């Protein structure tokens, strides 16, 4: 969290683990192909494999650090921003542009759907977030009330 008015929701650990696993699989395939190229062609020195492995491990460290520090959803006083969610729809909007928010379960995945006044929408799959679903919905409702200037009774 950057300030009291800003809330960041990070990527769930299970999703981060899938991304790291996919990266490791890709690195293994690249290393296998490079090893075969070194063995068959003999044009590349074997030291090239060590360099490639070190570059791959540095990439893994960068990916891990990025996944730990990156947010998926950010709420602030002005509006919201969504990143790293393919098919989310509108990636950012101001609270005053929001017409309504609700829940849905496309393909059995619980999602929060934010509909804008112009008909566009943002879909956020809640399992992708490292937070409690109810806490996320309460925070969204509170920010929508503030964004519209509404006061709770």
């Amino acid at each position: 969290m950057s300030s009291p008015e800003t809330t960041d929701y990070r990527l769930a650990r299970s999703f981060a683990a899938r991304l790291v696993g996919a990266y490791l699989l890709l690195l293994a395939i690249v290393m296998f192909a490079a090893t075969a190229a070194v063995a068959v062609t003999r044009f590349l020195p074997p030291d090239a494999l060590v360099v490639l492995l070190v570059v791959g491990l540095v990439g893994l460290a960068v990916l891990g650090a990025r996944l730990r520090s990156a947010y998926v959803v950010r709420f602030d006083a002005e509006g919201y921003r969504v990143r790293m969610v393919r098919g989310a729809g509108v990636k950012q909007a101001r609270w005053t542009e929001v017409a309504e928010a609700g829940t849905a379960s496309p393909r059995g995945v619980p999602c929060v759907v934010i509909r804008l006044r112009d008909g566009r929408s943002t879909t956020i799959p809640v399992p992708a977030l490292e937070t409690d679903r109810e806490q996320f919905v309460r925070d969204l409702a509170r920010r929508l009330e503030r964004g519209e200037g509404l006061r709770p009774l």
Side-chain angles (χ1 to χ4, degrees), residues 4-79:
E5 292 184 15
T6 302
T7 306
D8 290 342
Y9 293 96
R10 307 221 180 279
L11 188 65
R13 291 179 186 172
S14 61
F15 283 81
R18 288 180 195 171
L19 290 173
V20 169
Y23 179 86
L24 288 172
L25 181 63
L26 180 65
L27 180 60
I29 292 169
V30 168
M31 288 301 300
F32 178 78
T35 302
V38 167
V40 171
T41 64
R42 299 198 186 264
F43 289 119
L44 294 171
D47 293 341
L49 294 175
V50 175
V51 171
L52 183 61
L53 181 61
V54 168
V55 168
L57 292 176
V58 167
L60 179 63
V62 169
L63 176 64
R66 175 115 168 103
L67 289 175
R68 262 194 308 273
S69 65
Y71 64 86
V72 178
V73 177
R74 173 174 281 171
F75 293 157
D76 60 24
E78 298 298 318

